[in-house]
Amino acid sequence: MFSRYASRPRQTLIATFLAWKALLLAVTLGSAVAPSYDTSTSLMLHRNESGISLVTRLTRWDAIYFTQSARRGYLYEQEWAFNAGLPLVVSGLVKVARRLGLTGHDNGAPEAAFSIAVAHAAHLLAALMLHELTLKLFSRARLAFLASLLHVLSPAGLFLSAPYAESSFAFLSFAGYYVLASVSDAPKGSLRWTAAQVLAGAVFGLATACRSNGLLNGVPFALECLMILPPLLSSPTNLKNFAALFGPVAGGLLVATGSVVPQTLAWLRYCSGASEPRAWCGRTVPSIYSFVQEHYWGVGLFRYWTPSNIPLFALAAPMLGLLMVSGIEVLKRPSGLARSPTASMLVFSMAACQILLAAMAITTYHVQIITRIASGYAVWYWWVAGCLLDDGKDGTRRAWGGRIVTFSVMYAMIQGVLFASFLPPA
């Protein structure tokens, strides 16, 4: 298969993307034959659920919160659980459209439509960026093509088409790592290397503004600091070591801005000078995000470990296992993929991020979301692509790779029907 498309991998990725999206959207429209489980979308958009509308069928679950936030900002405290990155972009696009006279509705439909368009565009850009990132790190064309193809066919399915931030997060995360990979062989502390650290941190900060787990992208900067500290401590008067430390420190701080800035705005709104400050204002770390997740959504350490949630853990088990197995294997042998020792360190940090994500999903998150938020992590795509390319005599790894692809496609299709019908899991 690869030899046929080797000369035009990007065109093939785009064609596959369009075909896959057409199939998923057909499934979405087909779900209109049955009544939706919930009428929240129709109430917001003032539309009939029985009608055939992609906007209606894709604006489900959290997408309603993102759409409403894009339309009129954060109105209720619990809405601060949904990061502002996507709503801000969509709000800006809708304002431009209104000035051009392209839309006059104020019921959330324009915001939902633009959110869907942004999600599709970001998903395609993420697939293409993953291709470039893989080439930059490994110089392996077949691995790059297959990994990107796997991202297109991600089990996240319609979550990468609906008004959700997963596709935007994936694109920005892959872009940030591409910036770091582009200077993996540059001397530490050089102007080019430092500028790339800062730029990557800024891009990761935008990813964090889309999804809070973007904070995990601070891991490569933390590792860089740990590597620079020993020579700095041994030669504290060496200005070169201090200069080398500036890049990763600045980059790491920028990663956090995507979370710190909106929470600062929330503190100014609910705490500073408020006649009746909210309960979370008096905490040591006055975080509206952690409070809202805990108070309204039941998120917290082991809070999801209840008998009623056992089916959700079972549903998430395949992806959790894949993240753990692939992450640990790459963590042990990052040089098995990377083209240089410095690139190996970046791959190592990416594997560490993936393992941390899986651990947090098991212990803290609503575990069923792991299948969609894993779409923004590259290591498991590389691992599965490596399995598919494995030429071992027994063919075990290749067979496992094929099974994972089958799982991804089947999960995305089934989940698409459920999502479009407003049925769990979400």
Side-chain angles (χ1 to χ4, degrees):
M1 179 190 73
F2 178 79
S3 59
R4 182 178 178 183
Y5 302 111
S7 61
R8 44 193 175 94
R10 295 168 186 82
Q11 294 90 328
T12 303
L13 285 172
I14 293 172
T16 305
F17 174 87
L18 294 174
W20 176 243
K21 290 297 183 182
L23 178 60
L24 285 179
L25 295 180
V27 168
T28 302
L29 291 175
S31 69
V33 300
S36 297
Y37 176 75
D38 192 287
T39 59
S40 298
T41 305
S42 59
L43 291 174
M44 180 185 73
L45 301 179
H46 306 294
R47 292 184 176 184
N48 191 336
E49 279 286 346
S50 61
I52 299 178
S53 167
L54 279 175
V55 171
T56 302
R57 290 282 156 180
L58 289 175
T59 308
R60 304 304 200 193
W61 298 103
D62 295 355
I64 294 174
Y65 287 96
F66 283 115
T67 300
Q68 289 286 55
S69 296
R71 186 175 70 87
R72 41 82 170 143
Y74 291 131
L75 185 60
Y76 303 106
E77 187 179 56
Q78 62 266 33
E79 293 175 347
W80 289 81
F82 304 94
N83 293 49
L86 177 64
L88 286 174
V89 171
V90 171
S91 178
L93 292 173
V94 171
K95 288 178 181 177
V96 171
R98 287 201 173 112
R99 288 179 181 176
L100 295 175
L102 300 178
T103 179
H105 297 286
D106 191 30
N107 59 354
E111 286 79 8
F114 274 102
S115 296
I116 292 167
V118 169
H120 279 82
H123 186 195
L124 176 58
L125 290 173
L128 296 174
M129 182 56 69
L130 179 59
H131 183 267
E132 301 307 312
L133 170 63
T134 309
L135 285 177
K136 179 68 70 173
L137 281 172
F138 312 131
S139 300
R140 295 173 59 183
R142 299 177 71 186
L143 185 76
F145 175 73
L146 285 177
S148 303
L149 197 62
L150 288 167
H151 179 65
V152 170
L153 303 176
S154 168
L158 280 183
F159 287 105
L160 300 177
S161 301
Y164 275 71
E166 271 70 14
S167 56
S168 299
F169 171 81
F171 166 62
L172 291 166
S173 292
F174 297 158
Y177 283 111
Y178 179 84
V179 173
L180 292 178
S182 66
V183 294
S184 59
D185 293 329
K188 292 186 189 301
S190 65
L191 181 60
R192 177 168 168 260
W193 183 85
T194 301
Q197 295 284 313
V198 174
L199 176 59
V203 175
F204 285 143
L206 295 175
T208 305
C210 292
R211 281 210 56 89
S212 59
N213 52 288
L215 289 170
L216 293 175
N217 289 327
V219 169
F221 300 101
L223 289 178
E224 286 290 356
C225 289
L226 290 175
M227 293 174 64
I228 294 170
L229 277 178
L232 178 63
L233 294 175
S234 62
S235 302
T237 58
N238 190 328
L239 295 179
K240 184 178 179 180
N241 291 330
F242 275 104
L245 194 61
F246 172 79
V249 169
L253 291 174
L254 285 170
V255 173
T257 57
S259 176
V260 172
V261 170
Q263 295 203 66
T264 301
L265 295 175
W267 185 85
L268 292 172
R269 176 174 172 178
Y270 291 101
C271 305
S272 179
S275 57
E276 295 183 12
R278 296 291 293 136
W280 56 270
C281 295
R283 292 184 174 182
T284 304
V285 179
S287 168
I288 188 173
Y289 181 81
S290 59
F291 170 78
V292 165
Q293 289 283 10
E294 174 188 337
H295 184 72
Y296 293 99
W297 308 109
V299 173
L301 188 63
F302 303 126
R303 294 186 69 178
Y304 219 54
W305 286 29
T306 62
S308 62
N309 287 328
I310 290 176
L312 296 177
F313 276 91
L315 187 70
M319 181 53 69
L320 289 171
L322 179 57
L323 291 174
M324 283 293 192
V325 171
S326 61
I328 291 172
E329 186 170 317
V330 173
L331 199 67
K332 289 179 178 178
R333 293 185 63 253
S335 58
L337 286 173
R339 57 179 170 76
S340 69
T342 49
S344 295
M345 182 54 64
L346 183 58
V347 174
F348 178 93
S349 65
M350 295 174 74
C353 290
Q354 181 176 290
I355 294 171
L356 286 172
L357 179 78
M360 292 174 67
I362 293 170
T363 59
T364 308
Y365 295 166
H366 288 186
V367 71
Q368 72 272 15
I369 72 171
I370 190 61
T371 306
R372 59 181 167 93
I373 65 175
S375 60
Y377 292 80
V379 170
W380 72 271
Y381 295 122
W382 295 332
W383 186 83
V384 176
C387 289
L388 292 170
L389 293 171
D390 187 78
D391 55 1
K393 292 183 179 180
D394 61 0
T396 302
R397 287 177 64 86
R398 180 173 291 185
W400 270 108
R403 293 188 189 105
I404 293 169
V405 173
T406 301
F407 161 78
S408 295
V409 173
M410 290 183 62
Y411 190 98
M413 296 289 288
I414 296 170
Q415 173 264 333
V417 174
L418 296 174
F419 179 85
S421 301
F422 222 132
L423 290 168

